[in-house]
Amino acid sequence: MPPPEDSADGKPAPAPVPPIAEFAGALRARAQSRRRGRRPADDGPSASPPPSIEEQLDRAEICSRSGRIDDAIDICNALRPALAAGGDPRSVGWCDFVLALSHLNAGRAKEAVIAGYRAIGKLEPGMKLMRGLTVLASALARTGDAGGALELLERAKKLLAQISSPRDRCLFWVNCGSTFHALGDLEQAVKHSLLADGLLAEFDDPYLHAAVKMNLLVQRLILAVAGCHGVETPELTELLAAASAMVERLVAAGQHYSVAKGSEDIADAYIALGKYEKAREALQVGVKSADAAKAGPDRGILELRLGRIERLAGQYRRAQAHIGLALELLAESALLKELAEAHLENSLLNEERQHWRAALDSYRESAQIRERLLIAQSDARVHALEVRLELVRGGSGDR
């Protein structure tokens, strides 16, 4: 074998490495590199499998009922194409149900109606169809379609005999109460919410317990305020004390979304009695809960109420801050009625400060938004009628 050639610096060149040795060295270097780059977590047990479709939809429903509505809608929108491609209509129907529930909680009545009708067309008779019918009824009630809402509740009630779970029966009654509340029939709302409340001791669900308790309290408060003529009655005193205790209990339990949703009506009860400082306190608690629940639009409603109280008290600088924040928070939401009210409140504030041009601009904005709201409600009712006609012609029923 010839001697190795000298390198350019005069030193002997290294001996050639046999191919098998070169390959073995490369393997050792790669293994060492992997060991150096390995994360501590890789040394533990293997990663858990991804959640199932059912688990993801359950998570989306919890997000919707706890105030994280955008998260719920994102989960459903991400799942739906794969579910539709999979050819299982019941899974698609349940996904549409969670979408309808989320849009309803976000104040998007039209989108809730569309998703709700898509859902009930795919769900089999039973618990899921019953829930789909009641959520759709609530959505229709928010568009002003009382006939359609009551018709759906009757269909859902026929399925109730098949349902043995106390939680599912409770959901039926609480959704009925919400539908009558949206229709303005508070006596029927209280009647149905009481039936839901009577089932709470039979199951454990913190979100549902909080929603039922707060719905019932708010509905009873609205009824009591309507008949008090500005005078605090023993019934109102008892209800307001119960509201204070309930809010404290729910905040301690972390049920912030229910507190944020109920604080507006509690504050309105105090305002009707002329107790503005108590109303301010109730709203401030609601604002903190809305922040904790990441419920920006609901905080916008509460900020609007705070701005109104400060305006009535002549505290214009504070009122301007609250109303400005309300306009900002509501501008990105679907709560057109509340956004229109915020612009109207801003107009009144500017009038009182003699800022006439700004007042006129806000009046114009309020009118335009109310027009958009009426169009959206009309579109939702028209869509609902079209789908109902298609169902009747096709004889699809609950399939």
Side-chain angles (χ1 to χ4, degrees), residues 12 27 58 137 202:
L27 285 178
D58 286 345
E202 300 184 37

Side-chain angles (χ1 to χ4, degrees), residues 346-347 350-351 354-364:
N346 198 40
S347 297
N350 282 314
E351 271 192 9
Q354 298 186 350
H355 296 171
W356 308 114
R357 174 62 64 184
L360 181 61
D361 288 344
S362 285
Y363 271 128
R364 187 181 295 114

Side-chain angles (χ1 to χ4, degrees), residues 110 143 336 371-381:
K110 178 182 178 180
T143 71
L336 295 178
E371 183 180 8
R372 285 168 53 199
L373 174 62
L374 291 172
I375 291 171
Q377 289 177 332
S378 176
D379 286 348
R381 285 195 295 271

Side-chain angles (χ1 to χ4, degrees), residues 18-40:
I20 186 66
E22 184 177 358
F23 178 69
L27 285 178
R28 282 194 300 272
R30 186 180 301 175
Q32 290 170 355
S33 174
R34 283 178 178 170
R35 280 195 294 272
R36 285 194 298 269
R38 180 183 295 170
R39 295 189 301 269

